[in-house]
Amino acid sequence: MDEEADGFVLVPRHFEDDNCPSYLSDIEQVVLHLDDLSWTLSCYLHDNPELGFAEHKAHDALTKFMGSHAGWKVTSSAYGMETAWVAEYDTGRPGPVIAFNAEMGIATAETLQKHKIGGKILVIGTPAEEGGGGGKIKCLEAGAYDNVDVAIISHPGILNNSPAVRTTAYTHLDVSYRGRAAHAANSPWSGINALDALIVAYNAVSVLRQQTHPDDIIGLQITDGGNRPNVIHAHAAGVAVLRATSSRRLQELRRRVVACFQAGAEATGAQVHIEETLGYKDHVPNRVLATSYARYWRAMPNAPDPPLPPPGQYTLVKASTDQGNLSYALPSMNVSFAIPPGEKGGQPHSPDFQKASRTRDAFQRAMRVAKAIAGTAVDVCAKPGLLADVQAQWRLDMASMAGQEEPHGKAASMA
């Protein structure tokens, strides 16, 4: 999508046009030195899957790994969650604070120290991203990112290599109808059919789909279809999961879907109860961070397919992540990278992808991403004015998402 289509404004930034970014060789040395340890740790985590908020093996392995490196202060069971944790490396010199959500922080820290660059690096263990657990949101609410300037994460797949990833916002609605039971043959007129109310709503949502945006997604499920066929059903229930390309767009979609559920109640006389479980906001990519990442990615040889998107173009992934909520609180980069697919070309959350992600080739793809991520973080700390550009871009993006114009003055002076 181009800039006119998505409504974003790009803050101009002119990087030096060198073939090898300044700190790449130092970062590569650190990553190479950690290769065996990182591979062993990766395999251990892969071979010991755990449920959200119960990632005890992962918590213990990662905190031990971080604590084994000099200069890191590790806090276990952080932010009121047993399996959250944080590792902090402070150079002792003033500078930006960069948070990696369990990414390549060691290479960044060692490069900063070698070149006497100021800044602080946090590696935050954020549990329960999958299944709507929202570990990053809980960390955000607990103050984990209060003094953080930039948050960075990556996620594997098989389709995209991109540092400028948009994701969808989503929410979850539990809907129940309460009617009045009656015998369907003897006295149906005395009943109120809750299942009819749900069917009316279901069909109304189906009709609504004709007039929704192409990227709006409505998923429906009937979880309680009534009691027996010879009664007027006193209770029925369902679930709706809604996704849209922005939080603002999601609120409009939610309003229209809720109207359909209310229409079911109005048409039948049943009572409706709607309970919302808030999901994740869309992820808003920071294009200044993406530009820095692209320089490091392209400076390394043998870049795998697919190629990075052109400058100024983002990649829409129709999935959701709690990193999206962070992107509304501070500048964020959510990197998507492609690993070699399995035999069946299975996407994430499939057995085929699970097998493919355990290969050495997949690990090497992840290490390439780690180098570019680490380089981006070092650039933010080392290059005068780059953090200001990142923050100015973020403010413009937030104003765009809110449908407002960015005030001139401070942001303009930092561009």
Side-chain angles (χ1 to χ4, degrees):
M1 297 186 182
D2 59 30
E3 290 181 43
E4 291 184 1
D6 63 34
F8 287 101
V9 177
L10 184 61
V11 172
R13 179 70 187 179
H14 301 290
F15 292 95
E16 62 271 26
D17 190 22
D18 53 356
N19 293 323
C20 186
S22 308
Y23 305 101
L24 180 57
S25 61
D26 295 317
I27 291 167
E28 287 182 323
Q29 288 178 16
V30 177
V31 174
L32 180 62
H33 176 72
L34 294 172
D35 187 81
D36 289 341
L37 283 175
S38 299
W39 170 245
T40 300
L41 179 61
S42 175
C43 291
Y44 176 81
L45 296 175
H46 184 280
D47 296 341
N48 291 275
E50 297 172 287
L51 297 176
F53 297 115
E55 309 95 333
H56 299 289
K57 291 181 179 179
H59 171 278
D60 294 346
L62 289 166
T63 53
K64 181 179 179 181
F65 177 77
M66 296 304 301
S68 68
H69 293 85
W72 287 89
K73 176 185 175 184
V74 179
T75 302
S76 302
S77 299
Y79 313 118
M81 290 174 279
E82 284 189 13
T83 55
W85 56 273
V86 60
E88 176 183 321
Y89 187 97
D90 194 337
T91 65
R93 292 176 289 272
V97 180
I98 311 294
F100 296 98
N101 292 321
E103 300 289 348
M104 186 54 65
I106 294 174
T108 306
E110 293 195 15
T111 303
L112 294 183
Q113 196 64 271
K114 178 178 179 179
H115 292 273
K116 294 182 170 53
I117 300 168
K120 182 186 294 185
I121 303 301
L122 303 179
V123 180
I124 303 177
T126 55
E129 187 268 350
E130 301 294 349
K136 296 180 189 66
I137 301 172
K138 294 180 184 297
C139 287
L140 179 66
E141 293 171 345
Y145 300 91
D146 283 356
N147 298 307
V148 173
D149 294 302
V150 171
I152 300 176
I153 194 173
S154 68
H155 195 292
I158 62 171
L159 299 179
N160 302 301
N161 287 311
S162 176
V165 173
R166 291 288 312 275
T167 61
T168 56
Y170 90 94
T171 193
H172 177 111
L173 303 176
D174 288 294
V175 183
S176 61
Y177 290 94
R178 180 66 63 183
R180 184 168 60 240
H183 194 282
N186 291 337
S187 56
W189 52 84
S190 65
I192 297 176
N193 199 321
L195 180 57
D196 282 352
L198 180 57
I199 296 301
V200 168
Y202 193 104
N203 289 333
V205 172
S206 296
V207 173
L208 173 65
R209 286 193 177 102
Q210 183 190 42
Q211 296 173 312
T212 57
H213 290 205
D215 293 322
D216 292 342
I217 301 171
I218 307 173
L220 295 177
Q221 178 188 10
I222 296 176
T223 57
D224 181 353
N227 187 5
R228 297 177 182 275
N230 63 335
V231 300
I232 301 298
H233 304 290
H235 186 268
V239 171
V241 174
L242 314 179
R243 297 182 189 271
T245 53
S246 71
S247 296
R248 186 175 61 176
R249 174 65 203 151
L250 180 65
Q251 290 307 306
E252 172 60 16
L253 181 63
R254 177 192 178 279
R255 183 189 67 78
R256 300 182 72 181
V257 170
V258 166
C260 292
F261 288 122
Q262 292 170 337
E266 183 70 20
T268 60
Q271 295 179 332
V272 63
H273 176 71
I274 302 173
E275 183 175 339
E276 183 173 16
T277 302
L278 293 176
Y280 300 157
K281 294 183 178 180
D282 54 303
H283 182 265
V284 182
N286 188 281
R287 302 188 187 194
V288 180
L289 292 173
T291 299
S292 179
Y293 177 95
R295 290 174 61 247
Y296 280 89
W297 176 270
R298 294 188 173 110
M300 290 180 278
N302 304 318
D305 288 329
L308 298 186
Q313 179 175 311
Y314 67 76
T315 301
L316 177 62
V317 176
K318 291 186 178 181
S320 304
T321 171
D322 49 3
Q323 184 77 11
N325 295 66
L326 297 191
S327 75
Y328 277 80
L330 73 162
S332 168
M333 182 169 68
N334 177 21
V335 176
S336 178
F337 67 97
I339 66 171
E343 294 179 359
K344 299 179 180 180
Q347 300 228 24
H349 309 294
S350 70
D352 189 57
F353 184 84
Q354 178 191 17
K355 183 178 179 181
S357 64
R358 179 61 160 76
T359 63
R360 187 75 186 187
D361 285 344
F363 174 76
Q364 292 302 332
R365 295 281 182 92
M367 291 302 98
R368 182 189 182 95
V369 172
K371 295 171 188 176
I373 283 176
T376 302
V378 173
D379 275 356
V380 172
C381 294
K383 294 184 179 296
L386 182 55
L387 177 59
D389 285 346
V390 169
Q391 293 169 334
Q393 181 69 62
W394 178 75
R395 287 195 301 275
L396 285 168
D397 292 342
M398 292 300 100
S400 174
M401 299 306 292
Q404 301 171 356
E405 291 188 5
E406 168 72 10
H408 299 290
K410 186 175 181 182
S413 68
M414 299 175 72

